C-alpha cells in the first residue's frame, strides 16, 4: 500500500523565525514514523536554507498570505489574489499529480487564500478531489457589530463567510476537516459556515521538561520573547525594564531580543540599551538573535512566569502562541494585559494568571507582586478542552485521514 501523501500549502512561510517553520519541521519529523509523506510548499521568499531539509520544503507560492497589514482587502484585490492562488494551485496539482488519495493542509490563511482554493477545487471532478484539512487561525469576525469599532470584524465575517462557505460546498463533507485554535473561534466559524469545526492542538506544541532546581528560591520572569512587534508592547517593556529589575531584586528578569526579526529594525537603540542594563543590574539577562526550537523550549522551561504586555486593540480577538507555550507547563504562570483574548482564554480555562492594565507600569508591578508572593503550587486542571490543545499538532493532523 502506497504511503499517504500530505501537502502542506503555506504561502505565509516566508522565513524560519515563525510558527510556520515550527509546524513544517515538526510535521516532517513526525511523519517519518507513520509511513506518511509530507511535502511543504512555502513562499518563494524563503531562503536557500531550505536545502538542508532535503527538498521537503519547496519555495513555490508567489501569492502572499499576509497582506495590507492584516486588514480586509478591497474586493478587486481580494479576487485578484484569489485567482492568482487558484492558478498556482493548478500548477502544483499538475506538478505532483495530486489526487483523491492525497491530503491537502492549509493551517494559516486569510480569506483570499480560502477563496482561491475554493475556486480551484470547484473545477475538479468530485471523484478526483483530495482530502482537505483547513485551519481557521484568525478571528472569524462578527455577524452583528454593535459599534463602528467593530466594522472591520464585520468585514472579516463577510469575507470569511463567502470564501469558507464556498470552500465547504466544493468537495464532499467526508473529505473535509475544518478546525480552529480555540473555543471562541469555533463558535464564530460555525456561525458563518454552518459547518462543524474541530478544535485542533496548539500548532507550537512541543514536549516540555520540568524546571531544574538550580535556581530554587528565586523566581525567573520572562519579559519579552519572539518576533519584535509594536503591538506586543515592545516600547513599554523597553522603557520599563530597568524599573522592574530595581523594583524586584528577588526576581531574575529574562528578555529575548530577536535581532533577526524584521520588526527590530524599528528599534535601532534597543540592543545597546539592553546590553547597558545587563551591566547596570545583577538580575537581568538578555538573549539576542534567533533561538533554535530547543533553546526556545529551554527558555520557557527555565522561568516561572511570562509577561504578555500586548496591546488590547490588536489582541482583543487575536490568539497568542506565548499563551499556549505557558499553558502546557505546570510550573509557569501568565501575566498579561487585560481586555485581551489571553485574559478571556485564561478565565475560560480557569488557569491561574495575573492581569494588568495595558501601558500602566503601576498595574504591572502590582500583578508581578501578586505573582511573586504566591508560593502555592499551581493547580493543573485536566479538562477535555485543555487536553486537546496541549496535544501534538502533527499527531492530530496526521491522524485525520
Amino acid at each position: 500500500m502506497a504511503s499517504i501523501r500530505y501537502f502542506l500549502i503555506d504561502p505565509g512561510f516566508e522565513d524560519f523565525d515563525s510558527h510556520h517553520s515550527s509546524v513544517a519541521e515538526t510535521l516532517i519529523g513526525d511523519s517519518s514514523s507513520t509511513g506518511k509523506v509530507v511535502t511543504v510548499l512555502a513562499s518563494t521568499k524563503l531562503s536557500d536554507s531550505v536545502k538542508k531539509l532535503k527538498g521537503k520544503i519547496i519555495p513555490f507560492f508567489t501569492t502572499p498570505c499576509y497582506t495590507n497589514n492584516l486588514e480586509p482587502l478591497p474586493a478587486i484585490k481580494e479576487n485578484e489574489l484569489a485567482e492568482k492562488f487558484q492558478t498556482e494551485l493548478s500548477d502544483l496539482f499538475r506538478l505532483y499529480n495530486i489526487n483523491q488519495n492525497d491530503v491537502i493542509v492549509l493551517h494559516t490563511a486569510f480569506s483570499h487564500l480560502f477563496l482561491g482554493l475554493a475556486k480551484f477545487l470547484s473545477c475538479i471532478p468530485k471523484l478526483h478531489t483530495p482530502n482537505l484539512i483547513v485551519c481557521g487561525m484568525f478571528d472569524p469576525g462578527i455577524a452583528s457589530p454593535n459599534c463602528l469599532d467593530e466594522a472591520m470584524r464585520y468585514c472579516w465575517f463577510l469575507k470569511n463567510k463567502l470564501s469558507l462557505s464556498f470552500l465547504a460546498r466544493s468537495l464532499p463533507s467526508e473529505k473535509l476537516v475544518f478546525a480552529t485554535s480555540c473555543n471562541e473561534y469555533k463558535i464564530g466559524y460555525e456561525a458563518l459556515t454552518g459547518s462543524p469545526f474541530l478544535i485542533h492542538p496548539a500548532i507550537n506544541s512541543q514536549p516540555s521538561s520540568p524546571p531544574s532546581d538550580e535556581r530554587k528560591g528565586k523566581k525567573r520572569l520572562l519579559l519579552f520573547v519572539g518576533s519584535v512587534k509594536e503591538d506586543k508592547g515592545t516600547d513599554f517593556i523597553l522603557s520599563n525594564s530597568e524599573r522592574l529589575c530595581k523594583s524586584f531584586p528577588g526576581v531574575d528578569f529574562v528578555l529575548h531580543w530577536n535581532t533577526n526579526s524584521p520588526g527590530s529594525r524599528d528599534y535601532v537603540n534597543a540592543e545597546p540599551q539592553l546590553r547597558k542594563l545587563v551591566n547596570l543590574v545583577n538580575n537581568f539577562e538578555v538573549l539576542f538573535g534567533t533561538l533554535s526550537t530547543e533553546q526556545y523550549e529551554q527558555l520557557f522551561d527555565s522561568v516561572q512566569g511570562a509577561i504578555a504586555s500586548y496591546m488590547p486593540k490588536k489582541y482583543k480577538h487575536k490568539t497568542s502562541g506565548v499563551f499556549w507555550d505557558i499553558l502546557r507547563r505546570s510550573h509557569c504562570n501568565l501575566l498579561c494585559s487585560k481586555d485581551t483574548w489571553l485574559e478571556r482564554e485564561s478565565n475560560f480555562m480557569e488557569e491561574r494568571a495575573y492581569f494588568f492594565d495595558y501601558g500602566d507600569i503601576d498595574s504591572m508591578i502590582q500583578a508581578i507582586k501578586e505573582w511573586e508572593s504566591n508560593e502555592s503550587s499551581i493547580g493543573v486542571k485536566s479538562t477535555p478542552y485543555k487536553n486537546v490543545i496541549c496535544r501534538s499538532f502533527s499527531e492530530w493532523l496526521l491522524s485525520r485521514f
Side-chain angles (χ1 to χ4, degrees):
M1 182 178 176
S3 299
I4 297 177
R5 297 190 304 171
Y6 281 72
F7 293 88
L8 189 66
I9 309 297
D10 196 357
F13 190 179
E14 300 179 350
D15 60 71
F16 280 90
D17 296 317
S18 65
H19 73 268
H20 299 271
S21 174
S22 299
V23 172
E25 294 182 0
T26 303
L27 193 56
I28 290 171
D30 289 350
S31 66
S32 60
S33 62
T34 64
K36 297 175 180 179
V37 178
V38 173
T39 302
V40 178
L41 290 310
S43 167
T44 53
K45 292 181 180 180
L46 205 60
S47 71
D48 289 338
S49 57
V50 297
K51 292 177 182 176
K52 67 181 182 179
L53 289 165
K54 300 178 181 178
K56 291 186 177 179
I57 297 180
I58 313 295
F60 188 88
F61 293 102
T62 59
T63 307
C65 174
Y66 301 101
T67 57
N68 202 27
N69 197 28
L70 308 185
E71 294 181 0
L73 293 167
I76 293 177
K77 185 65 175 178
E78 178 104 357
N79 287 325
E80 177 186 310
L81 289 178
E83 290 175 2
K84 182 178 181 181
F85 190 47
Q86 178 184 2
T87 299
E88 291 189 311
L89 287 170
S90 179
D91 294 339
L92 175 67
F93 272 56
R94 281 197 299 272
L95 179 64
Y96 286 94
N97 191 27
I98 297 174
N99 57 60
Q100 69 273 18
N101 298 315
D102 298 320
V103 182
I104 301 298
V105 180
L106 192 61
H107 71 77
T108 303
F110 287 95
S111 55
H112 63 284
L113 297 179
F114 293 143
L115 183 58
L117 179 59
K119 283 173 173 285
F120 172 71
L121 291 177
S122 66
C123 298
I124 297 178
K126 299 295 184 185
L127 290 175
H128 300 296
T129 55
N131 300 297
L132 179 65
I133 300 173
V134 174
C135 299
M137 281 284 293
F138 301 104
D139 176 24
I142 186 171
S144 303
N146 296 313
C147 59
L148 189 59
D149 289 345
E150 293 180 335
M152 185 181 294
R153 294 193 66 220
Y154 178 59
C155 185
W156 277 125
F157 176 86
L158 294 176
K159 288 181 177 295
N160 285 325
K161 184 174 181 63
L162 171 66
S163 57
L164 288 170
S165 296
F166 186 5
L167 188 55
R169 297 192 304 270
S170 299
L171 70 172
S173 59
E174 66 271 14
K175 297 181 75 69
L176 172 64
V177 172
F178 274 140
T180 189
S181 55
C182 66
N183 190 62
E184 276 191 22
Y185 285 10
K186 172 181 168 67
I187 294 170
Y189 279 117
E190 289 182 342
L192 66 87
T193 61
S195 299
F197 270 69
L198 302 176
I199 293 178
H200 64 68
I203 62 173
N204 55 327
S205 180
Q206 298 284 338
S208 58
S209 304
S212 66
D213 293 329
E214 294 177 10
R215 301 177 183 269
K216 193 172 182 180
K218 194 170 185 181
K219 287 188 172 182
R220 280 164 61 85
L221 183 61
L222 183 58
L223 279 177
F224 189 90
V225 65
S227 56
V228 178
K229 296 179 181 179
E230 180 186 7
D231 59 15
K232 293 169 71 174
T234 307
D235 296 274
F236 183 79
I237 292 296
L238 290 174
S239 299
N240 290 283
S241 293
E242 181 178 344
R243 179 174 173 182
L244 291 174
C245 290
K246 291 180 176 179
S247 297
F248 296 94
V251 174
D252 283 335
F253 291 88
V254 190
L255 187 147
H256 169 230
W257 188 256
N258 189 352
T259 49
N260 296 320
S261 175
S264 65
R265 299 167 192 157
D266 297 328
Y267 298 90
V268 292
N269 296 321
E271 186 171 347
Q273 175 188 334
L274 293 169
R275 292 188 184 279
K276 180 180 178 181
L277 183 57
V278 169
N279 295 322
L280 184 65
V281 298
N282 61 8
N283 61 334
F284 183 70
E285 175 186 348
V286 60
L287 305 172
F288 290 106
T290 300
L291 300 179
S292 68
T293 300
E294 183 179 5
Q295 290 171 325
Y296 182 87
E297 293 299 316
Q298 288 175 347
L299 173 59
F300 273 88
D301 287 340
S302 76
V303 300
Q304 290 75 48
I307 285 182
S309 183
Y310 294 172
M311 193 180 295
K313 184 177 179 181
K314 294 289 187 179
Y315 278 87
K316 189 178 183 70
H317 301 285
K318 182 180 178 181
T319 59
S320 165
V322 167
F323 175 89
W324 292 310
D325 286 322
I326 296 169
L327 179 68
R328 56 193 168 86
R329 291 173 164 85
S330 61
H331 67 276
C332 192
N333 289 127
L334 172 70
L335 296 85
C336 75
S337 306
K338 295 177 183 177
D339 199 28
T340 58
W341 171 87
L342 296 87
E343 180 192 24
R344 294 194 306 279
E345 189 74 350
S346 295
N347 290 331
F348 181 78
M349 288 193 173
E350 299 181 14
E351 291 290 310
R352 179 179 296 156
Y354 303 84
F355 309 119
F356 52 84
D357 297 320
Y358 173 77
D360 186 332
I361 186 60
D362 292 327
S363 180
M364 179 181 284
I365 286 174
Q366 181 58 37
I368 296 175
K369 283 181 180 177
E370 293 174 8
W371 165 80
E372 182 188 24
S373 63
N374 197 330
E375 297 295 339
S376 61
S377 61
I378 300 172
V380 180
K381 296 180 181 296
S382 181
T383 65
Y385 180 62
K386 181 175 178 178
N387 289 342
V388 166
I389 289 175
C390 291
R391 281 180 58 197
S392 160
F393 178 76
S394 56
E395 177 186 298
W396 172 87
L397 191 148
L398 293 169
S399 67
R400 291 304 94 193
F401 294 102

